[in-house]
Amino acid sequence: KEIKQLLSSGGVFVLQTPVLHKNIKYSSEDKPGIAVDYEEIKSILTEVFSDVIEFNHSYYSERGDLVTFLAK
């Protein structure tokens, strides 16, 4: 909510983060400590922003992926 308040009119928040998916067992080598649950972060963004786009979804290993969200 604070980020949205800081954006100028028409501004876009860009969030790029490694994500975790339910029902997958990750090792410490798969993800850095900053990875977030995919469904949870998407839910949080859509609660606050009226328009959330999954701009890019990149896979950097067999079980590792990085998502870039654009939120307006």
Side-chain angles (χ1 to χ4, degrees):
K1 291 179 183 178
E2 291 178 31
I3 291 170
K4 185 175 181 178
Q5 291 174 349
L6 293 172
L7 288 175
S8 61
S9 178
V12 177
F13 172 55
V14 178
L15 173 66
Q16 184 176 55
T17 184
V19 294
L20 302 171
H21 298 279
K22 293 184 182 354
N23 302 320
I24 296 178
K25 294 190 186 240
Y26 294 101
S27 71
S28 58
E29 294 175 8
D30 291 328
K31 298 284 184 173
I34 63 168
V36 296
D37 180 90
Y38 173 78
E39 293 298 329
E40 184 177 345
I41 193 64
K42 194 168 181 179
S43 175
I44 290 169
L45 289 171
T46 55
E47 285 176 19
V48 175
F49 294 92
S50 58
D51 189 16
V52 177
I53 300 165
E54 192 173 308
F55 180 73
N56 187 36
H57 201 139
S58 302
Y59 297 89
Y60 57 86
S61 73
E62 184 177 311
R63 295 182 296 187
D65 50 326
L66 184 70
V67 178
T68 303
F69 294 99
L70 303 180
K72 303 178 197 177

